[in-house]
Amino acid sequence: MVSSILGWSRPVKRFVSVAADLCLLSIAIWGAFALRFETFNWLPDGKQLVVSLATVLVTIGAFVRLGLYRAVIRYLSEHAFLAIIVGVAFSSVALIVFGFLFQALVPRSVPVIYGAFAFLLVAGTRFSVRAAVRRPREKAKNSVLIVGAGPKGLQLASALSQGVEYRPVGFVSLVSSNHRSVIGGLPVYSVEHLEKAVRELDASRALLALEDVVPVNRKQLLAALEKLSIPVQTVPSMSELVAGQARINDIRDLEIEDLLGRDPVRPDTAIVSESLYGKSVMVTGAGGSIGSELCRQIIRHKPKVLVLFEQSEFSLYSIERELRSISQIESLDVTVHAILGSVTHRRRCEAVLKAFGVQAVYHAAAYKHVPLVEHNVIEGIQNNVFGTWHTAEAAIAAGVERFVLISTDKAVRPTNVMGATKRMAELVLQGLSQRQSQTVFSMVRFGNVLGSSGSVVPLFRDQIRDGGPVTVTHPDIIRYFMTIPEASQLVLQAGSMGQGGEVYVLDMGEPVRIADLARKMINLMGLEEKTTDSPDGDIEIVYTGLRPGEKLFEELLIGDNPQGTAHPRILMAREVSLTWDEVEEYLGRLTRASQSFDCKAALNILIEARTAYSPNGGVADLVWCKSGAEVPEYHDQDGKVLRLS
């Protein structure tokens, strides 16, 4: 019946609505008089009949004027409810007026009774039909529990109610006193009763709709969410909504900062803006995960010129297009230049820096994937060491004011080639900082970046969606983690604070056990880990063993006496450095070793160069191993032989 009615054309539906209202209003008038005269046998006289007909027709006209018949029953809202109230009130007044004009017997209580009857019949039938129409659709929707009972939560509930995929069944408030209250017709539970809410409301998933400005104990909230047997997802941030980058009902997997379980580090925007506003800035490796996020944040500080330096054509095209769009939409008036080139070409770098009058360089170009660099030793040295050196020399020649190197925690007592090359790059800049004072060099060292191209989070997420197993190298392996925006903000902050040769690190709190992160992701996606105790679980965690050059624990500082800075979460360490003459000698030897593709000599030089490089395995360079080269012999700074197995 309902489906056949829904199939009618719009004019037919309106005609049926008008005809139904004529009948309902007539019944309401008859009922009012019958109740007033306490008889069901009441029949109107001639004048009462005229008054009744006039009232009904005028009311229909009022409903037409108020747009009631343009409203679609399925999406009937409070606006239709208000239109019915106004129309019925007008109808009651019309009954009084017509009774007076036609001198008909209309007792004073009849208009009041009629108004009540008319409202109940007109509104009741409409909302009953709406409920009947929507019930099958609502039942087909996935029931969701909204975590967050603020404006964002209410907005999300409203948007989902109008959609076709999800049906909000309740709220979870972070304020305990809101427990057992009702918002928008939906029950509210406190965080302490989260599991009870899921059970009683039969929710199929939980959606995080937390307010950006309200402080939240993320660690405690995540601990409560992990216990649920349903997937946990989130909605876009308010900044994305305001910028038009997303809609409130764009459901997505948990944000990476949510998985981190701590509040993100905030930069001192005033200091950062002062160092960037109106300047000419260049970012190397602008198409990478760190470089692209640096560009997004730099452009919002309104530099005069932003130069994107990248060797990948597609990555450069993508980030240029995105930044031009941001500049246009947000009226930033920033000139963006996309330049193809490699940081290993000094003359190219110098020409670019001089052509655009670059004042600050953020050097993000590097090979960062540990196993890949371990398998391609010479290319890793060329890009990470010589790329940094050539770009830095070009910056000095071009009169660049500031040069910031994006380093890594793997540069601390490295056990892999990637970490050793990044530590060597730090030593190069520290040597250049001693050699001259025109260009201020500083380095920013941070942990693993969640969400980057090499991060474990996207890998784990894909493995979980594919049904597992989730691969972890070792049950005890731990890492410090940052989000890409945090890492980029730290780089910008350090770039504004550097005086020359400093290594900045972030106080990131407690490190994260990778296996625990994997379990957290499995639980938050509504699944159960498969173990010997739970053989019926969904996803198994498999330990594959440490990869070449990988170590269990990462460090951020070589020394034990970090100094504070103007930012409460940023520390500074002046570590052991080399004179420029020493650095230059090592660079010359590395050049000769690289040109002859002598991995043995190159790695020996990295060990000798006071990088604290201590390889934990054999040479893994694929070409070197295929060529049948002998296993090299390494020596530490004291001359002790370090043999690779």
Side-chain angles (χ1 to χ4, degrees):
M1 175 65 179
V2 171
S3 60
S4 62
I5 292 175
L6 292 177
W8 290 348
S9 64
R10 183 169 296 178
V12 173
K13 290 178 182 178
R14 289 180 178 176
F15 175 79
V16 171
S17 296
V18 171
D21 284 344
L22 284 171
C23 295
L24 293 172
L25 292 171
S26 300
I27 293 172
I29 289 182
W30 177 85
F33 277 100
L35 184 62
R36 169 63 180 82
F37 293 120
E38 300 180 355
T39 176
F40 288 104
N41 296 323
W42 177 83
L43 292 174
D45 58 24
K47 292 182 178 180
Q48 289 173 332
L49 183 60
V50 172
V51 168
S52 299
L53 290 174
T55 301
V56 169
L57 293 175
V58 167
T59 305
I60 295 298
F63 284 160
V64 170
R65 189 70 177 173
L66 292 167
L68 184 61
Y69 299 115
R70 293 197 301 270
V72 180
I73 296 292
R74 181 187 301 160
Y75 303 111
L76 215 57
S77 64
E78 63 274 7
H79 299 293
F81 188 81
L82 182 62
I84 294 172
I85 292 176
V86 172
V88 167
F90 181 81
S91 181
S92 298
V93 173
L95 180 59
I96 297 172
V97 172
F98 287 132
F100 176 77
L101 291 177
F102 292 100
Q103 297 295 307
L105 177 60
V106 180
R108 287 175 294 181
S109 59
V110 167
V112 177
I113 300 173
Y114 160 70
F117 280 175
F119 175 77
L120 289 174
L121 290 172
V122 175
T125 53
R126 275 174 167 77
F127 284 95
S128 296
V129 171
R130 186 189 73 163
V133 169
R134 295 176 62 170
R135 184 173 178 79
R137 291 174 174 266
E138 292 295 312
K139 284 294 183 181
K141 292 182 182 180
N142 294 316
S143 57
V144 297
L145 187 64
I146 299 176
V147 181
K152 185 188 283 190
L154 292 174
Q155 188 180 356
L156 175 62
S158 176
L160 294 179
S161 298
Q162 302 300 323
V164 296
E165 190 172 358
Y166 300 107
R167 170 173 54 93
V169 293
F171 292 98
V172 173
S173 175
L174 304 181
V175 181
S176 299
S177 58
N178 288 341
H179 184 56
R180 292 184 178 277
S181 58
V182 176
I183 298 178
L186 301 177
V188 180
Y189 294 78
S190 65
V191 175
E192 292 78 9
H193 296 83
L194 194 52
E195 293 182 78
K196 178 183 177 182
V198 172
R199 185 175 61 256
E200 291 184 350
L201 300 176
D202 193 26
S204 62
R205 68 186 60 226
L207 301 181
L208 290 184
L210 305 178
E211 303 300 322
D212 297 347
V213 296
V214 178
V216 177
N217 188 330
R218 293 180 182 272
K219 196 168 186 178
Q220 181 180 350
L221 180 59
L222 273 181
L225 293 171
E226 280 185 70
K227 299 176 183 177
L228 305 180
S229 57
I230 59 175
V232 180
Q233 294 178 294
T234 187
V235 296
S237 64
M238 192 57 68
S239 58
E240 290 177 291
L241 298 176
V242 172
Q245 299 171 348
R247 298 172 300 170
I248 186 66
N249 55 344
D250 286 341
I251 308 302
R252 59 181 69 164
D253 289 324
L254 275 184
E255 297 291 350
I256 293 166
E257 52 266 31
D258 294 319
L259 291 174
L260 202 56
R262 62 169 171 79
D263 293 328
V265 177
R266 304 297 182 188
D268 186 335
T269 53
I271 295 177
V272 175
S273 293
E274 185 179 349
S275 67
L276 295 174
Y277 182 78
K279 299 289 184 67
S280 179
V281 183
M282 184 172 89
V283 177
T284 67
S289 50
I290 297 293
S292 59
E293 180 62 28
L294 269 174
C295 293
R296 294 183 193 100
Q297 296 194 24
I298 288 172
I299 198 172
R300 289 187 167 92
H301 290 286
K302 297 184 178 180
K304 182 180 179 181
V305 176
L306 179 55
V307 180
L308 316 176
F309 197 76
E310 172 63 56
Q311 66 176 347
S312 168
E313 180 187 25
F314 178 73
S315 298
L316 182 62
Y317 165 76
S318 300
I319 188 62
E320 179 199 21
R321 183 178 178 184
E322 179 183 346
L323 294 175
R324 289 188 186 278
S325 177
I326 291 174
S327 180
Q328 182 178 2
I329 292 172
E330 300 184 18
S331 302
L332 300 176
D333 194 28
V334 177
T335 302
V336 178
H337 297 294
I339 304 297
L340 279 169
S342 171
V343 292
T344 59
H345 299 158
R346 182 183 304 187
R347 292 179 62 183
R348 173 66 168 168
C349 293
E350 184 177 336
V352 172
L353 292 170
K354 288 181 177 179
F356 299 107
V358 173
Q359 297 163 281
V361 173
Y362 292 89
H363 184 56
Y367 291 147
K368 308 180 183 72
H369 198 276
V370 171
L372 283 179
V373 177
E374 206 73 18
H375 294 155
N376 299 272
V377 171
I378 299 302
E379 290 304 312
I381 292 172
Q382 284 290 318
N383 204 52
N384 294 356
V385 178
F386 291 108
T388 301
W389 178 30
H390 293 325
T391 309
E393 291 283 15
I396 295 172
V400 172
E401 299 172 5
R402 291 185 176 274
F403 187 104
V404 182
L405 169 68
I406 285 75
S407 189
T408 170
D409 58 352
K410 293 176 178 60
V412 181
R413 284 184 269 268
T415 59
N416 52 70
V417 179
M418 193 280 280
T421 58
K422 294 299 285 185
R423 178 57 184 149
M424 190 67 201
E426 292 180 354
L427 292 172
V428 169
L429 293 192
Q430 288 173 324
L432 288 173
S433 184
Q434 296 174 16
R435 193 188 78 185
Q436 53 82 55
S437 58
Q438 177 183 359
T439 302
V440 175
F441 291 100
S442 55
M443 290 134 277
V444 186
R445 189 184 291 160
F446 46 77
N448 294 267
V449 181
L450 286 168
S452 67
S453 57
S455 169
V456 296
V457 171
L459 173 63
F460 286 172
R461 188 167 286 153
D462 290 342
Q463 289 176 337
I464 293 171
R465 285 174 177 164
D466 292 339
V470 174
T471 55
V472 179
T473 57
H474 194 282
D476 296 323
I477 192 168
I478 62 173
R479 291 291 183 265
Y480 291 97
F481 281 108
M482 300 179 68
T483 64
I484 294 177
E486 280 182 305
S488 303
Q489 290 163 0
L490 173 60
V491 170
L492 297 180
Q493 184 82 56
S496 62
M497 295 191 304
Q499 299 297 316
E502 301 93 345
V503 175
Y504 292 99
V505 297
L506 174 65
D507 176 11
M508 295 189 293
E510 296 297 321
V512 177
R513 192 179 298 272
I514 301 299
D516 291 343
L517 178 63
R519 291 189 186 95
K520 182 180 295 185
M521 292 185 65
I522 291 171
N523 294 334
L524 290 174
M525 293 180 77
L527 302 171
E528 181 184 355
E529 182 188 358
K530 183 179 182 180
T531 63
T532 53
D533 296 331
S534 302
D536 296 328
D538 305 293
I539 305 293
E540 183 181 7
I541 295 179
V542 175
Y543 299 102
T544 58
L546 293 175
R547 297 171 296 181
E550 191 172 35
K551 57 182 179 179
L552 283 178
F553 312 103
E554 300 290 1
E555 304 165 273
L556 290 171
L557 292 169
I558 294 177
D560 298 322
N561 298 306
Q563 304 174 28
T565 66
H567 193 288
R569 298 288 295 275
I570 298 178
L571 304 176
M572 180 181 70
R574 280 192 175 275
E575 298 175 344
V576 175
S577 60
L578 305 176
T579 65
W580 175 248
D581 290 338
E582 292 175 298
V583 172
E584 194 171 29
E585 179 192 351
Y586 287 125
L587 289 175
R589 293 172 59 190
L590 273 176
T591 299
R592 291 188 291 274
S594 298
Q595 289 172 345
S596 60
F597 193 71
D598 191 340
C599 290
K600 173 181 178 179
L603 294 179
N604 254 328
I605 294 166
L606 289 177
I607 291 176
E608 294 173 15
R610 301 179 70 183
T611 60
Y613 175 38
S614 179
N616 62 3
V619 178
D621 186 282
L622 298 178
V623 178
W624 175 267
C625 293
K626 284 289 184 181
S627 66
E630 63 179 9
V631 176
E633 183 180 88
Y634 296 105
H635 301 82
D636 64 14
Q637 295 150 359
D638 299 323
K640 181 181 177 182
V641 176
L642 295 174
R643 292 189 180 277
L644 296 177
S645 57

